[in-house]
Short mmCIF file of all heavy atoms in Angstrom, two decimals:
data_model
loop_
_atom_site.label_atom_id
_atom_site.label_comp_id
_atom_site.label_asym_id
_atom_site.label_seq_id
_atom_site.Cartn_x
_atom_site.Cartn_y
_atom_site.Cartn_z
N ARG A 17 80.87 -51.74 -42.01
CA ARG A 17 80.79 -50.40 -42.60
C ARG A 17 81.34 -50.42 -44.03
O ARG A 17 82.48 -50.78 -44.25
CB ARG A 17 81.58 -49.40 -41.75
CG ARG A 17 81.01 -49.24 -40.35
CD ARG A 17 81.89 -48.35 -39.51
NE ARG A 17 81.92 -46.97 -39.96
CZ ARG A 17 81.05 -46.04 -39.55
NH1 ARG A 17 80.11 -46.33 -38.69
NH2 ARG A 17 81.15 -44.80 -40.01
N ASP A 19 82.49 -48.20 -46.42
CA ASP A 19 82.95 -46.84 -46.71
C ASP A 19 83.95 -46.87 -47.86
O ASP A 19 84.24 -47.91 -48.44
CB ASP A 19 83.53 -46.18 -45.45
CG ASP A 19 84.75 -46.89 -44.90
OD1 ASP A 19 85.59 -47.35 -45.69
OD2 ASP A 19 84.87 -47.00 -43.66
N ALA A 20 84.50 -45.70 -48.20
CA ALA A 20 85.38 -45.60 -49.37
C ALA A 20 86.64 -46.44 -49.22
O ALA A 20 87.20 -46.88 -50.22
CB ALA A 20 85.74 -44.14 -49.60
N SER A 21 87.08 -46.68 -48.00
CA SER A 21 88.29 -47.48 -47.80
C SER A 21 88.04 -48.96 -48.10
O SER A 21 88.99 -49.73 -48.22
CB SER A 21 88.83 -47.31 -46.37
OG SER A 21 87.98 -47.91 -45.43
N ALA A 45 75.94 -51.57 -41.00
CA ALA A 45 75.60 -50.41 -40.17
C ALA A 45 75.67 -49.10 -40.94
O ALA A 45 75.01 -48.12 -40.57
CB ALA A 45 76.54 -50.34 -38.97
N TYR A 46 76.47 -49.08 -42.02
CA TYR A 46 76.78 -47.79 -42.66
C TYR A 46 77.15 -48.02 -44.11
O TYR A 46 77.80 -49.03 -44.44
CB TYR A 46 77.95 -47.15 -41.92
CG TYR A 46 78.54 -45.91 -42.56
CD1 TYR A 46 78.00 -44.65 -42.30
CD2 TYR A 46 79.64 -45.99 -43.41
CE1 TYR A 46 78.54 -43.51 -42.89
CE2 TYR A 46 80.18 -44.85 -43.99
CZ TYR A 46 79.63 -43.62 -43.73
OH TYR A 46 80.16 -42.49 -44.31
N ILE A 47 76.74 -47.11 -44.98
CA ILE A 47 77.21 -47.14 -46.38
C ILE A 47 77.40 -45.70 -46.83
O ILE A 47 76.64 -44.81 -46.46
CB ILE A 47 76.20 -47.90 -47.28
CG1 ILE A 47 76.81 -48.15 -48.66
CG2 ILE A 47 74.88 -47.16 -47.37
CD1 ILE A 47 76.03 -49.16 -49.49
N SER A 48 78.47 -45.48 -47.61
CA SER A 48 78.74 -44.14 -48.13
C SER A 48 78.45 -44.10 -49.62
O SER A 48 78.03 -45.10 -50.22
CB SER A 48 80.20 -43.77 -47.88
OG SER A 48 81.04 -44.53 -48.73
N SER A 49 78.71 -42.95 -50.24
CA SER A 49 78.36 -42.81 -51.66
C SER A 49 79.20 -43.74 -52.53
O SER A 49 78.73 -44.20 -53.58
CB SER A 49 78.52 -41.36 -52.12
OG SER A 49 79.87 -40.96 -52.09
N LEU A 52 77.43 -46.95 -52.46
CA LEU A 52 76.25 -46.86 -53.33
C LEU A 52 76.67 -47.03 -54.79
O LEU A 52 75.97 -47.67 -55.58
CB LEU A 52 75.56 -45.49 -53.15
CG LEU A 52 75.00 -45.16 -51.77
CD1 LEU A 52 74.40 -43.76 -51.78
CD2 LEU A 52 73.95 -46.17 -51.34
N LYS A 60 73.38 -52.12 -62.76
CA LYS A 60 73.30 -51.80 -64.20
C LYS A 60 73.76 -52.99 -65.03
O LYS A 60 73.12 -53.37 -66.02
CB LYS A 60 74.17 -50.59 -64.52
CG LYS A 60 73.61 -49.29 -64.01
CD LYS A 60 74.61 -48.17 -64.12
CE LYS A 60 74.48 -47.40 -65.38
NZ LYS A 60 75.21 -46.12 -65.32
N LYS A 63 71.19 -56.04 -64.54
CA LYS A 63 69.90 -55.78 -65.19
C LYS A 63 69.99 -55.92 -66.70
O LYS A 63 69.04 -56.36 -67.37
CB LYS A 63 69.41 -54.37 -64.83
CG LYS A 63 68.77 -54.27 -63.45
CD LYS A 63 67.36 -54.82 -63.47
CE LYS A 63 66.65 -54.55 -62.16
NZ LYS A 63 65.29 -55.15 -62.13
N HIS A 77 68.40 -46.22 -41.44
CA HIS A 77 69.29 -45.13 -41.85
C HIS A 77 69.77 -45.35 -43.28
O HIS A 77 69.82 -44.41 -44.09
CB HIS A 77 70.48 -45.04 -40.89
CG HIS A 77 70.08 -44.92 -39.46
ND1 HIS A 77 69.23 -43.93 -39.01
CD2 HIS A 77 70.38 -45.67 -38.37
CE1 HIS A 77 69.03 -44.08 -37.71
NE2 HIS A 77 69.72 -45.12 -37.30
N ILE A 81 68.94 -43.30 -46.93
CA ILE A 81 69.93 -42.92 -47.93
C ILE A 81 69.53 -43.46 -49.31
O ILE A 81 69.63 -42.77 -50.33
CB ILE A 81 71.34 -43.43 -47.52
CG1 ILE A 81 71.89 -42.60 -46.35
CG2 ILE A 81 72.31 -43.40 -48.70
CD1 ILE A 81 72.23 -41.16 -46.68
N PHE A 84 66.69 -41.23 -50.55
CA PHE A 84 67.18 -39.92 -51.00
C PHE A 84 67.93 -40.04 -52.33
O PHE A 84 68.01 -39.07 -53.09
CB PHE A 84 68.12 -39.30 -49.96
CG PHE A 84 67.50 -39.04 -48.62
CD1 PHE A 84 68.29 -38.97 -47.48
CD2 PHE A 84 66.13 -38.84 -48.48
CE1 PHE A 84 67.73 -38.72 -46.23
CE2 PHE A 84 65.56 -38.59 -47.24
CZ PHE A 84 66.36 -38.54 -46.11
N SER A 85 68.52 -41.23 -52.59
CA SER A 85 69.30 -41.46 -53.81
C SER A 85 68.42 -41.86 -54.99
O SER A 85 68.92 -41.98 -56.10
CB SER A 85 70.32 -42.58 -53.58
OG SER A 85 71.11 -42.35 -52.46
N HIS A 89 63.75 -46.66 -56.93
CA HIS A 89 63.22 -46.78 -58.29
C HIS A 89 63.96 -47.85 -59.10
O HIS A 89 63.43 -48.32 -60.10
CB HIS A 89 63.36 -45.44 -59.03
CG HIS A 89 62.58 -44.32 -58.44
ND1 HIS A 89 61.24 -44.42 -58.13
CD2 HIS A 89 62.95 -43.07 -58.09
CE1 HIS A 89 60.82 -43.27 -57.63
NE2 HIS A 89 61.84 -42.44 -57.58
N PHE B 9 92.22 -42.41 -48.42
CA PHE B 9 90.97 -43.07 -48.02
C PHE B 9 91.24 -44.04 -46.87
O PHE B 9 90.34 -44.35 -46.09
CB PHE B 9 90.35 -43.83 -49.18
CG PHE B 9 89.78 -42.97 -50.27
CD1 PHE B 9 89.93 -41.59 -50.26
CD2 PHE B 9 89.08 -43.53 -51.32
CE1 PHE B 9 89.40 -40.79 -51.26
CE2 PHE B 9 88.54 -42.75 -52.33
CZ PHE B 9 88.71 -41.38 -52.30
N LEU B 12 90.12 -43.33 -43.28
CA LEU B 12 88.72 -43.29 -42.84
C LEU B 12 88.47 -44.08 -41.56
O LEU B 12 87.75 -43.60 -40.68
CB LEU B 12 87.79 -43.78 -43.97
CG LEU B 12 87.62 -42.78 -45.12
CD1 LEU B 12 86.93 -43.44 -46.31
CD2 LEU B 12 86.82 -41.57 -44.66
N PHE B 16 86.68 -42.40 -38.30
CA PHE B 16 85.45 -42.90 -37.67
C PHE B 16 85.69 -43.36 -36.23
O PHE B 16 84.78 -43.32 -35.41
CB PHE B 16 84.85 -44.03 -38.51
CG PHE B 16 84.34 -43.57 -39.86
CD1 PHE B 16 84.54 -44.33 -40.99
CD2 PHE B 16 83.67 -42.37 -39.99
CE1 PHE B 16 84.06 -43.91 -42.23
CE2 PHE B 16 83.21 -41.93 -41.22
CZ PHE B 16 83.40 -42.71 -42.35
N GLY B 31 70.98 -42.07 -35.60
CA GLY B 31 70.67 -41.37 -36.84
C GLY B 31 71.61 -40.20 -37.09
O GLY B 31 72.06 -39.96 -38.21
N PHE B 34 75.11 -41.53 -38.07
CA PHE B 34 75.15 -41.96 -39.47
C PHE B 34 75.28 -40.75 -40.39
O PHE B 34 76.14 -40.71 -41.29
CB PHE B 34 73.89 -42.76 -39.80
CG PHE B 34 73.91 -43.42 -41.15
CD1 PHE B 34 74.03 -44.80 -41.25
CD2 PHE B 34 73.83 -42.69 -42.32
CE1 PHE B 34 74.08 -45.42 -42.49
CE2 PHE B 34 73.87 -43.30 -43.56
CZ PHE B 34 73.98 -44.67 -43.64
N ASP B 37 78.77 -38.91 -40.00
CA ASP B 37 79.84 -39.71 -40.59
C ASP B 37 79.77 -39.67 -42.12
O ASP B 37 80.79 -39.58 -42.81
CB ASP B 37 79.77 -41.17 -40.12
CG ASP B 37 80.46 -41.39 -38.78
OD1 ASP B 37 81.11 -40.46 -38.27
OD2 ASP B 37 80.36 -42.52 -38.24
N PHE B 38 78.54 -39.76 -42.65
CA PHE B 38 78.36 -39.72 -44.10
C PHE B 38 78.90 -38.40 -44.66
O PHE B 38 79.63 -38.38 -45.66
CB PHE B 38 76.87 -39.88 -44.44
CG PHE B 38 76.60 -40.09 -45.90
CD1 PHE B 38 76.42 -41.36 -46.41
CD2 PHE B 38 76.54 -39.01 -46.77
CE1 PHE B 38 76.19 -41.55 -47.77
CE2 PHE B 38 76.31 -39.19 -48.13
CZ PHE B 38 76.13 -40.47 -48.63
N GLU B 41 82.79 -38.19 -44.40
CA GLU B 41 83.45 -39.03 -45.42
C GLU B 41 83.36 -38.39 -46.80
O GLU B 41 84.33 -38.37 -47.56
CB GLU B 41 82.85 -40.44 -45.46
CG GLU B 41 83.43 -41.26 -46.61
CD GLU B 41 83.01 -42.72 -46.63
OE1 GLU B 41 82.51 -43.22 -45.62
OE2 GLU B 41 83.21 -43.34 -47.69
N GLU B 42 82.18 -37.88 -47.12
CA GLU B 42 82.00 -37.31 -48.45
C GLU B 42 82.93 -36.12 -48.69
O GLU B 42 83.59 -36.03 -49.73
CB GLU B 42 80.54 -36.88 -48.62
CG GLU B 42 80.19 -36.46 -50.01
CD GLU B 42 80.45 -37.55 -51.05
OE1 GLU B 42 80.25 -38.75 -50.72
OE2 GLU B 42 80.89 -37.22 -52.16
N ILE B 91 68.33 -38.00 -59.73
CA ILE B 91 68.05 -39.23 -58.98
C ILE B 91 66.76 -39.91 -59.45
O ILE B 91 66.40 -40.97 -58.97
CB ILE B 91 67.97 -38.98 -57.45
CG1 ILE B 91 66.85 -38.01 -57.11
CG2 ILE B 91 69.31 -38.48 -56.92
CD1 ILE B 91 66.54 -37.96 -55.63
N GLU B 92 66.07 -39.27 -60.40
CA GLU B 92 64.87 -39.90 -60.97
C GLU B 92 65.19 -40.57 -62.30
O GLU B 92 64.30 -41.16 -62.92
CB GLU B 92 63.78 -38.84 -61.19
CG GLU B 92 63.36 -38.09 -59.93
CD GLU B 92 62.67 -38.99 -58.92
OE1 GLU B 92 62.02 -39.96 -59.34
OE2 GLU B 92 62.78 -38.73 -57.71
N LEU B 95 67.72 -46.47 -64.78
CA LEU B 95 68.98 -47.12 -64.38
C LEU B 95 70.10 -46.91 -65.39
O LEU B 95 71.24 -46.61 -65.02
CB LEU B 95 68.73 -48.61 -64.16
CG LEU B 95 69.90 -49.43 -63.65
CD1 LEU B 95 70.37 -48.93 -62.29
CD2 LEU B 95 69.53 -50.90 -63.56
N ARG B 98 71.83 -43.59 -65.02
CA ARG B 98 72.31 -43.17 -63.71
C ARG B 98 73.83 -43.14 -63.67
O ARG B 98 74.50 -44.02 -64.20
CB ARG B 98 71.81 -44.12 -62.61
CG ARG B 98 70.31 -44.16 -62.44
CD ARG B 98 69.79 -42.90 -61.81
NE ARG B 98 70.30 -42.73 -60.47
CZ ARG B 98 69.60 -42.94 -59.35
NH1 ARG B 98 68.36 -43.31 -59.43
NH2 ARG B 98 70.14 -42.74 -58.17
N ARG B 99 74.38 -42.09 -63.03
CA ARG B 99 75.82 -41.97 -62.82
C ARG B 99 76.04 -41.69 -61.34
O ARG B 99 75.33 -40.88 -60.74
CB ARG B 99 76.39 -40.81 -63.64
CG ARG B 99 76.21 -40.95 -65.14
CD ARG B 99 77.16 -41.98 -65.73
NE ARG B 99 77.01 -42.09 -67.17
CZ ARG B 99 76.13 -42.89 -67.79
NH1 ARG B 99 75.31 -43.63 -67.08
NH2 ARG B 99 76.05 -42.94 -69.09
N GLY B 104 77.03 -38.23 -53.70
CA GLY B 104 77.44 -38.07 -52.31
C GLY B 104 77.23 -36.66 -51.79
O GLY B 104 76.78 -36.46 -50.66
N LEU B 107 73.54 -36.04 -51.27
CA LEU B 107 73.06 -36.69 -50.04
C LEU B 107 73.57 -35.97 -48.80
O LEU B 107 72.86 -35.85 -47.80
CB LEU B 107 73.50 -38.15 -50.02
CG LEU B 107 72.88 -39.03 -51.12
CD1 LEU B 107 73.53 -40.41 -51.14
CD2 LEU B 107 71.38 -39.15 -50.91
N ARG B 110 71.48 -33.19 -48.13
CA ARG B 110 70.16 -33.64 -47.68
C ARG B 110 70.16 -34.01 -46.19
O ARG B 110 69.20 -33.71 -45.48
CB ARG B 110 69.75 -34.86 -48.53
CG ARG B 110 68.41 -35.46 -48.18
CD ARG B 110 67.29 -34.57 -48.65
NE ARG B 110 66.01 -35.00 -48.12
CZ ARG B 110 65.06 -35.58 -48.85
NH1 ARG B 110 65.24 -35.81 -50.13
NH2 ARG B 110 63.92 -35.94 -48.30
#
Side-chain angles (χ1 to χ4, degrees):
Chain A
R17 297 175 67 88
D19 63 40
S21 69
Y46 172 86
I47 190 167
S48 71
S49 66
L52 298 178
K60 288 169 93 166
K63 280 282 188 184
H77 306 305
I81 287 292
F84 298 156
S85 307
H89 297 310
Chain B
F9 289 6
L12 286 168
F16 293 139
F34 189 109
D37 276 353
F38 190 97
E41 174 173 344
E42 188 58 36
I91 62 167
E92 302 293 331
L95 184 61
R98 297 288 297 255
R99 299 286 182 273
L107 295 172
R110 179 73 191 252

